[in-house]
Amino acid sequence: AEKLVESGGGLVQPGGSLRLSCAASGFTFGSWLMSWVRQAPGKGLQWVAAITARGDFTYYTNSVEGRFTISRDNAKNELILHLGSLNSDDTAMYYCTRPAGAHNSLTGLRGQGTQVTVSS
């Protein structure tokens, strides 16, 4: 079965950083554009970042541009998101996604999520 499993979330102080990881299985990972989306408490899903199948192009929502970095290791079937200069607005459940359609689509295959909490 197709599956995405996220890890790496946790509690971090403002200004801190985290590395999120997503393990993909059950499909040809290296053939798919992948993305990260997040959902803050009481809010809807927000697209965060995407990376093309070969990793040659990346895309970011404005609020994380310059602070977050999306990358992938196709040999390991792994998607990665480095989060930097974190602030309270980044508190959310982060989901690894294989989007259905455009790179910023909120639909498609999604993992169970990993919680990121930014607080002092």
Side-chain angles (χ1 to χ4, degrees):
E2 299 176 333
K3 193 174 182 182
L4 300 169
V5 179
E6 302 92 338
S7 61
L11 175 63
V12 60
Q13 292 187 341
S17 60
L18 277 177
R19 179 185 185 274
L20 306 184
S21 180
C22 170
S25 60
F27 64 98
T28 307
F29 178 74
S31 296
W32 290 86
L33 177 146
M34 296 294 295
S35 69
W36 290 91
V37 301
R38 66 185 180 184
Q39 186 166 25
K43 296 187 177 180
L45 282 172
Q46 177 192 26
W47 171 74
V48 175
I51 185 167
T52 52
R54 293 187 300 175
D56 43 0
F57 293 99
T58 57
Y59 310 89
Y60 300 93
T61 193
N62 287 345
S63 62
V64 308
E65 182 85 51
R67 301 189 299 118
F68 291 8
T69 302
I70 188 171
S71 61
R72 66 191 297 160
D73 186 337
N74 286 346
K76 295 181 179 179
N77 288 350
E78 185 180 26
L79 181 71
I80 298 160
L81 186 67
H82 284 276
L83 293 69
S85 302
L86 287 162
N87 59 64
S88 58
D89 290 338
D90 298 314
T91 293
M93 185 72 80
Y94 284 73
Y95 298 94
C96 171
T97 301
R98 190 188 72 190
H103 69 277
N104 57 354
S105 172
L106 297 179
T107 60
L109 180 68
R110 188 185 311 151
Q112 85 290 345
T114 187
Q115 178 67 41
V116 173
T117 302
V118 183
S119 176
S120 56

